[in-house]
Amino acid sequence: MFAALSLAAAADSPLPRVELKAGPHRFDVEVATTPPQRAQGLMGRTHLADGTGMLFVFEEPNRHCFWMKDTALPLSVAFLADDGTVVGIADMQPQTTDLHCAKAPVRYALEVRQGGFGSRGIAPGGRLTGGPLATPRASHYQE
């Protein structure tokens, strides 16, 4: 039931969606490319189905940071290099202002349900493909 509610909420989202892959694993994610979309992120969501999430696309690589104020779900964030290599992963607790920052400049961050990377064997050094991660000049991604 919760998965159906989460998928219905995601289907109502005006954000574009892409499929990202890590080996045999797939993630159906919304893509946040503008500052307002990235600021909203997954705030206000009460459910997030396994295998779904949000990809944050930034204009420039930087040591981008995330926090969980006004976010009710425990999430994991993977910081991704331009080629989709996982630079780092952090688990984030709901309703906190603790900063979780990339250890190196990155252009992408992927948020999923907490534990969603570890349960699939995805760790730093691994690689995701698809969406903007599939093209050499990913900074030009727009939908």
Side-chain angles (χ1 to χ4, degrees), residues 8-20:
D12 292 338
S13 172
L15 298 177
R17 303 184 73 78
V18 298
E19 181 181 76
L20 300 180

Side-chain angles (χ1 to χ4, degrees), residues 62-137:
N62 204 335
R63 291 191 60 221
H64 300 288
C65 297
F66 287 72
W67 67 352
M68 297 287 288
K69 184 179 180 187
D70 299 323
T71 304
L73 303 169
L75 301 173
S76 294
V77 61
F79 296 101
L80 308 171
D82 281 356
D83 68 354
T85 299
V86 178
V87 173
I89 296 175
D91 287 337
M92 303 184 295
Q93 299 307 313
Q95 307 294 339
T96 62
T97 56
D98 300 337
L99 290 179
H100 305 276
C101 304
K103 293 181 175 152
V106 296
R107 188 182 317 267
Y108 305 101
L110 174 61
E111 287 183 344
V112 300
R113 281 181 14 181
Q114 193 169 95
F117 299 118
S119 67
R120 291 169 172 82
I122 300 169
R127 186 162 182 259
L128 283 89
T129 60
L133 305 175
T135 59
R137 288 294 300 155

